[in-house]
Amino acid sequence: MVSEKDSGYRKNFSLIATFIGLISIIFVLSLFLAYNFSKKNIENDFVSAKANVLEESIKPYNDFFFNKLPEISYYNGFLDSATASKFTDTILLQYPFVRKVVFYDAQVKNLNYEENGISYGDCSIGTKSVFQFARSLPKDSIKLFSENQVINNADIDDFNKLSLKLITYVQKLDTAKIPTQEQLSSNFTNIRSNHIDYFNIPNFEDLKVYKKMIAGKLATDPVYQQDMLSFELDPNKIKIKNTRPLLYEKISVVPVTYDPLDTSSDYITGEITLGGAFSDYKLYFISAKSFVKREIFSYFLPIAALLLLFYGVLVLVAFLIYRNLNINHKMFKLQYDFVTNLTHEFKTPVSVIKIAGNNIKSSSGLSEREQQMYGRILDEEADKLNGLMNKLLAFTQIENKAITLNQDEINIVDFIESTIEVHTLKHPDFDISYETSGFTTFITDPVLLGSLFDNLAENAYKYSPPNKKKLHISARMIKDRVVLRFKDTGIGIPSSEINNIFKKFYRIQNRYNQNGSVGLGLAFCKELVNFMDGEITVKSVVDKGTEFKIVLPYNN
């Protein structure tokens, strides 16, 4: 038995264990870093994603302010109560955060308004009528004021403030240069907390006339229509669009001064100001840490899966390398045993031949008995060498399909009896019996079939105790197949070795197989059966015996 050290291969289990241990440590460390990265990323998202929530939630307000309000100017100041009612209905329906709208039907002229407007120089801006539209009101509007009535200061205050802003802007207007849209919008709009006042923007020529009125340089008394709408807003009606529902557990609109007292370390909070007419309010974000942890894991798990896959690949590579080294070690050991046993097989007959040759050479004269003895010895040992070389050659030829399968008709009874005669002559204590049924002759290669019979019979004799050297051969026709069975009463084959016995150079270690075998017998049988398009199987019980079953095609 060759030791692992002598064989030249040394399985370094510590190196494999170190490699797996190292990649395991790296894997665990990578999981830790990946979790921290996921946690940091989600925490950063909690801060940065607020802007996206604000942008999506405030979109209706921006659409209202930048797109809907400028439509008022399209009417050039000629809105009446009916048209204003339809206009505000669409606003109240489309924008839930608009709670109330007040419509001021106004005029700009040279006559002074003593009660319901303001004057500067010869330019006066006053109201003809005021209407209110609200969600809580019926479809028809409420008229707050009409011409020739005195309006309450509270109701006209918004109008007067924006009118003063308009007059101040017109007074400073450079008529040699057309103002930008941004300048016009900022001076014809007044934005306060939850409130927007908007004058329709007149054309540039009208603004020039207004400037002349203020300077008292206008001889005529023109009258210009001017409309103003005042919008009262409700920030609590803003529809919050939570774009990250797995990150933000609750989002609410609260005043900027809101400072919750019940927030503990178990929660993560954030805020962002709404801006514009809602600048006194903010979006307040709050999530329990346990809630955010689920989002962290949803981000972390795909990364962990990739790391696990990479780790699995590395472990698989380590296993394949180890298995390859182990297979190489086994192959080297098998080949080493093969060379050792083959050398022993050749060495014994060569040594006997050499001794016999030396005796013949050194002897001055040989008697007839001695000549017959040395002749028999030389003949037997030469047959052994020839048989061994023929087996190796035949095995190689069959493996490489270098021979042709002959097709000869054989009589199965004659064939079995011939085999029995050869082996009983060789081993007088070998008890071989047989039986046949279902057929008499079939076509096959007699040389290859003879090799099968010889190898299996030789094995049955070799691996049987001295008092149990028995073999029963049966040949039957079953479903157009020739079934051959070789059943002995030998030492049997352990179940753990059944899958190995047909491998080249493989030898079962037992007291009957220490020397004299190169591990080719059953491998040779397997190759023969395959070459003959058949099948070979084995059943065995330790200390009871072994049965080889060969199934061959029936050709007749």
Side-chain angles (χ1 to χ4, degrees):
M1 184 73 177
V2 180
S3 67
E4 292 179 2
K5 183 175 181 181
D6 294 337
S7 71
Y9 281 86
R10 185 168 53 192
K11 290 184 281 187
N12 198 335
F13 292 102
S14 61
L15 182 61
I16 297 293
T18 301
F19 176 74
I20 294 177
L22 180 61
I23 63 174
S24 298
I25 292 172
I26 294 174
F27 173 65
V28 173
L29 181 61
S30 299
L31 287 178
F32 175 75
L33 294 175
Y35 179 80
N36 283 342
F37 170 77
S38 302
K39 185 172 180 290
K40 189 69 176 177
N41 190 71
I42 295 302
E43 288 175 351
N44 290 338
D45 276 358
F46 193 93
V47 176
S48 60
K50 293 184 299 183
N52 190 44
V53 175
L54 173 64
E55 181 182 353
E56 292 298 319
S57 301
I58 212 72
K59 264 186 180 179
Y61 170 79
N62 290 334
D63 179 67
F64 164 74
F65 186 81
F66 293 107
N67 298 321
K68 197 65 178 179
L69 286 187
E71 290 183 12
I72 299 172
S73 297
Y74 298 163
Y75 294 95
N76 292 318
F78 289 98
L79 275 172
D80 56 20
S81 61
T83 308
S85 176
K86 292 180 181 178
F87 180 75
T88 54
D89 279 348
T90 61
I91 290 177
L92 292 171
L93 182 64
Q94 189 173 354
Y95 305 104
F97 52 83
V98 179
R99 182 166 53 191
K100 184 173 71 174
V101 182
V102 179
F103 166 60
Y104 298 86
D105 187 8
Q107 292 179 333
V108 179
K109 55 185 179 179
N110 274 345
L111 300 176
N112 290 335
Y113 282 91
E114 296 181 357
E115 298 293 341
N116 302 326
I118 63 170
S119 300
Y120 192 92
D122 290 338
C123 180
S124 298
I125 303 178
T127 58
K128 293 189 297 180
S129 57
V130 180
F131 294 86
Q132 179 177 297
F133 310 92
R135 291 183 176 277
S136 58
L137 298 176
K139 188 174 181 181
D140 295 332
S141 60
I142 294 178
K143 191 172 185 179
L144 300 179
F145 162 78
S146 61
E147 204 169 9
N148 302 322
Q149 290 181 338
V150 177
I151 195 170
N152 191 310
N153 286 336
D155 294 328
I156 200 68
D157 189 52
D158 293 339
F159 177 81
N160 288 339
K161 287 180 180 178
L162 189 55
S163 297
L164 180 61
K165 186 177 181 180
L166 187 154
I167 290 176
T168 302
Y169 168 70
V170 172
Q171 186 181 11
K172 298 177 181 180
L173 178 66
D174 182 1
T175 56
K177 186 169 62 175
I178 298 176
T180 64
Q181 190 62 37
E182 185 179 351
Q183 290 173 335
L184 293 172
S185 296
S186 62
N187 285 282
F188 282 79
T189 307
N190 190 27
I191 301 174
R192 294 172 288 131
S193 177
N194 303 333
H195 211 99
I196 298 176
D197 300 323
Y198 188 87
F199 252 131
N200 73 280
I201 301 174
N203 60 54
F204 186 51
E205 295 301 321
D206 290 346
L207 289 176
K208 290 180 179 179
V209 176
Y210 292 175
K211 187 174 179 67
K212 290 180 179 179
M213 285 183 182
I214 293 172
K217 296 180 180 180
L218 195 65
T220 59
D221 295 325
V223 177
Y224 293 88
Q225 300 300 318
Q226 195 75 36
D227 296 321
M228 188 187 105
L229 275 78
S230 180
F231 301 90
E232 185 176 317
L233 310 179
D234 183 0
N236 294 311
K237 295 296 182 180
I238 293 176
K239 187 177 180 180
I240 299 172
K241 294 184 179 179
N242 188 353
T243 57
R244 297 291 296 274
L246 299 178
L247 183 61
Y248 300 120
E249 187 174 8
K250 183 181 179 183
I251 307 174
S252 55
V253 178
V254 296
V256 291
T257 55
Y258 176 74
D259 187 15
L261 301 176
D262 57 346
T263 301
S264 66
S265 58
D266 295 331
Y267 292 88
I268 302 175
T269 61
E271 58 186 44
I272 187 169
T273 305
L274 288 170
F278 301 122
S279 56
D280 289 343
Y281 290 82
K282 63 185 178 182
L283 291 180
Y284 182 73
F285 303 79
I286 184 169
S287 298
K289 288 184 177 179
S290 58
F291 183 83
V292 176
K293 188 173 289 186
R294 289 198 292 268
E295 177 71 352
I296 293 173
F297 273 103
S298 67
Y299 190 92
F300 164 72
L301 288 178
I303 301 176
L306 288 175
L307 290 173
L308 181 60
L309 177 63
F310 183 67
Y311 173 75
V313 169
L314 290 178
V315 171
L316 179 62
V317 168
F319 169 74
L320 292 177
I321 291 173
Y322 167 74
R323 190 183 70 167
N324 189 53
L325 290 174
N326 198 37
I327 290 173
N328 287 341
H329 167 76
K330 289 181 178 179
M331 288 300 298
F332 180 84
K333 183 176 178 297
L334 288 173
Q335 292 175 7
Y336 187 89
D337 288 347
F338 168 70
V339 172
T340 302
N341 293 325
L342 187 62
T343 302
H344 177 80
E345 285 285 290
F346 275 100
K347 186 176 180 181
T348 301
V350 168
S351 299
V352 173
I353 291 171
K354 187 174 179 62
I355 292 170
N358 287 333
N359 288 342
I360 293 172
K361 184 175 65 173
S362 61
S363 177
S364 57
L366 296 176
S367 65
E368 184 178 348
R369 178 176 169 278
E370 289 175 331
Q371 287 178 357
Q372 290 178 351
M373 181 187 69
Y374 285 129
R376 181 176 53 79
I377 291 173
L378 291 175
D379 188 55
E380 288 178 353
E381 299 307 317
D383 285 342
K384 288 182 182 178
L385 289 175
N386 186 56
L388 185 58
M389 287 187 293
N390 286 338
K391 182 181 285 189
L392 289 172
L393 180 61
F395 193 100
T396 304
Q397 289 176 332
I398 290 173
E399 270 194 322
N400 295 300
K401 303 293 188 290
I403 62 174
T404 304
L405 186 66
N406 295 321
Q407 299 290 335
D408 294 329
E409 185 180 57
I410 67 168
N411 184 292
I412 191 62
V413 174
D414 293 343
F415 190 89
I416 295 175
E417 288 182 349
S418 175
T419 302
I420 293 174
E421 287 176 4
V422 171
H423 285 277
T424 52
L425 183 63
K426 187 177 180 180
H427 308 295
D429 58 338
F430 197 8
D431 181 10
I432 305 177
S433 59
Y434 77 95
E435 63 174 310
T436 64
S437 65
F439 73 109
T440 304
T441 63
F442 79 111
I443 296 174
T444 188
D445 189 317
V447 175
L448 299 186
L449 188 64
S451 296
L452 274 176
F453 273 67
D454 288 341
N455 274 279
L456 293 176
E458 197 65 37
N459 268 9
Y461 182 83
K462 182 177 181 179
Y463 296 106
S464 296
N467 59 339
K468 290 186 178 181
K469 294 188 181 294
K470 295 180 180 181
L471 175 64
H472 180 73
I473 302 173
S474 70
R476 290 188 173 92
M477 173 74 71
I478 301 176
K479 295 181 180 179
D480 295 329
R481 306 284 285 180
V482 175
V483 179
L484 305 173
R485 298 179 189 270
F486 296 79
K487 186 174 183 180
D488 63 43
T489 55
I491 62 174
I493 303 170
S495 58
S496 60
E497 301 283 3
I498 288 291
N499 295 327
N500 297 320
I501 60 174
F502 293 113
K503 293 179 181 178
K504 287 187 293 184
F505 312 133
Y506 190 85
R507 297 166 63 234
I508 299 175
Q509 300 302 317
N510 56 54
R511 67 183 184 275
Y512 295 92
N513 200 14
Q514 296 303 312
N515 294 302
S517 173
V518 292
L520 282 178
L522 291 177
F524 183 55
C525 290
K526 178 75 171 176
E527 289 296 329
L528 284 174
V529 172
N530 290 341
F531 187 68
M532 298 167 73
D533 295 326
E535 298 175 1
I536 182 169
T537 55
V538 59
K539 293 190 299 183
S540 185
V541 179
V542 175
D543 295 329
K544 296 288 185 179
T546 302
E547 180 183 81
F548 287 92
K549 176 184 174 183
I550 298 173
V551 180
L552 297 175
Y554 174 72
N555 298 316
N556 193 0

